[in-house]
Amino acid sequence: MSDPTRTYLDFERPVAELDAKIEELETLAASNSADVPDVADEIAKLRQKSAEQLASLYEKLDPWRKTQVARHPERPHFRDYRRLLIEDFEELCGDRRFSEDPAIVGGIGRFHGRSVVVMGHEKGRDTQSRLKHNFGMARPEGYRKAIRLMDMAEKFKMPVLTFVDTAGAYPGVGAEERGQAEAIARSTERCLTLGVPLISVIAGEGGSGGAVALASANSIIMLQHSIYSVISPEGCASILWKDAARARDAAIAMKITAQDLKELKIIDHIVKEPIGGAHRAPDDTVRKIGEKIDSVLSGLEGLRASDLRARRRERFLAIGRLEASEG
């Protein structure tokens, strides 16, 4: 059966029309107790056409369309990675200074038999959960909670896994009054000084310092249609051209896609998504990410704390050297 509740992106309209026709014919066939071979044949043809149209669209996604895919509401969220990859998860809340921040969820659990600390941005799935998690935009207490969890990971020698999916840190007045910039800086610093393996996954939208604060890792894994940037395309367009409508131009200019970032050596690994994006086969996508994390983590295990810190520091300093040499 087709899924009538699926959310289609603007550029997927041709596929949406075909799927709507399939749904209509399926309803017709289901309401008719007799066999309807002609309808069945037509459904099969439309399914094939829909699949071909979808493959054609996703074969040539530009950076702006990738941005739309990265923001798709049905894309796997942190809770999906936690459910499928982490056993015996125990959530740990609060920053021990101000309050709990549901925008970043974290705790301890087991990944493929290893004890790990795992944390990530959670955007929420419906209106109620999105409001609860503030659309994945963390406040200072969220980053201070992340620091607390990383401190614990180092104390008990547990690897850290982070899942990044945020438009950026929350820009509210209260957050700024409580030291948003300082909290992000300290979280980034803690990532860089961590004496245990740190692996980050850019699962959807990796925006600004709010993403870097959890992604200054030994190895960065990125889904094929995720994005990672210093600012959103809309924000960049507003600054450069005073026109947010030029977000597509900004997305192209900023080189925010996994493919561009891999070439620039800002990320390390790209995990291929199903045709049509991760939201069309979320569980399979999560399992593929799990396989890649397992492979990368195996290569980091056994390294001394000093080696892990040195490698992490060098990979980020190398980014600056690359930009300077090209400037």
Side-chain angles (χ1 to χ4, degrees):
M1 288 287 288
S2 300
D3 182 2
T5 66
R6 184 181 299 283
T7 300
Y8 291 90
L9 300 170
D10 290 344
F11 68 86
E12 294 177 325
R13 190 168 300 169
V15 177
E17 292 171 356
L18 288 169
D19 287 353
K21 183 64 175 176
I22 292 169
E23 180 67 22
E24 182 182 333
L25 291 175
E26 286 176 337
T27 302
L28 175 63
S31 65
N32 194 327
S33 58
D35 292 334
V36 191
D38 291 343
V39 173
D41 289 345
E42 182 64 19
I43 289 174
K45 290 177 183 178
L46 286 173
R47 284 191 182 281
Q48 178 66 24
K49 188 174 181 181
S50 175
E52 291 173 353
Q53 181 72 57
L54 189 67
S56 176
L57 286 171
Y58 275 77
E59 187 178 10
K60 50 188 177 184
L61 292 181
D62 63 21
W64 178 240
R65 287 184 172 180
K66 281 183 178 285
T67 301
Q68 293 176 280
V69 176
R71 294 171 174 172
H72 197 286
E74 294 163 21
R75 197 170 179 82
H77 289 186
F78 175 74
R79 67 177 185 178
D80 300 307
Y81 291 98
R82 182 187 66 188
R83 172 175 56 87
L84 291 171
L85 299 182
I86 308 299
E87 297 178 347
D88 302 324
F89 179 76
E90 185 69 32
E91 185 174 355
L92 299 174
C93 301
D95 66 346
R96 301 297 187 267
R97 292 180 62 180
F98 183 74
S99 72
E100 160 65 357
D101 183 0
I104 293 179
V105 178
I108 57 175
R110 292 188 178 277
F111 170 74
H112 290 199
R114 306 174 180 91
S115 294
V116 297
V117 167
V118 59
M119 67 185 90
H121 300 95
E122 175 56 61
K123 286 185 171 180
R125 186 70 71 186
D126 53 27
T127 301
Q128 185 176 358
S129 62
R130 286 170 187 159
L131 290 172
K132 174 186 174 182
H133 295 288
N134 200 35
F135 301 86
M137 295 186 293
R139 297 175 170 88
E141 42 274 20
Y143 296 108
R144 290 175 180 137
K145 175 172 67 174
I147 294 168
R148 183 170 75 85
L149 293 178
M150 285 188 272
D151 287 343
M152 184 183 68
E154 184 161 33
K155 179 178 180 180
F156 294 104
K157 302 188 184 308
M158 293 185 288
V160 178
L161 310 179
T162 67
F163 294 85
V164 174
D165 188 12
T166 182
Y170 183 62
V173 173
E176 296 298 333
E177 288 175 341
R178 296 194 300 278
Q180 183 73 287
E182 182 264 353
I184 290 172
R186 290 196 179 276
S187 182
T188 304
E189 178 189 39
R190 192 65 187 100
C191 287
L192 293 171
T193 60
L194 199 59
V196 294
L198 171 58
I199 298 173
S200 294
V201 177
I202 310 297
E205 186 177 10
S208 191
V212 174
L214 295 189
S216 299
N218 288 104
S219 187
I220 300 177
I221 301 167
M222 195 165 172
L223 279 169
Q224 181 183 4
H225 301 313
S226 291
I227 61 169
Y228 188 26
S229 61
V230 70
I231 190 173
S232 70
E234 295 90 341
C236 178
S238 296
I239 292 170
L240 291 182
W241 299 295
K242 311 298 182 186
D243 184 3
R246 295 190 62 179
R248 180 187 294 272
D249 296 333
I252 294 170
M254 287 195 297
K255 297 189 181 297
I256 62 178
T257 69
Q259 294 72 27
D260 286 331
L261 296 169
K262 179 72 161 54
E263 186 176 344
L264 292 169
K265 299 182 179 179
I266 292 173
I267 67 164
D268 304 284
H269 307 280
I270 299 175
V271 173
K272 190 174 182 181
E273 297 187 27
I275 294 174
H279 54 280
R280 282 187 163 78
D283 287 3
D284 287 345
T285 301
V286 170
R287 291 189 183 98
K288 284 184 179 179
I289 286 288
E291 290 169 4
K292 177 56 70 175
I293 292 173
D294 184 55
S295 173
V296 173
L297 188 53
S298 295
L300 295 172
E301 288 175 328
L303 292 176
R304 295 179 303 175
S306 58
D307 292 333
L308 289 167
R309 294 187 187 103
R311 287 190 179 195
R312 205 178 294 127
R313 177 181 173 83
E314 181 55 34
R315 80 182 301 279
F316 280 92
L317 288 176
I319 296 171
R321 293 191 192 108
L322 176 64
E323 291 178 349
S325 64
E326 291 182 348

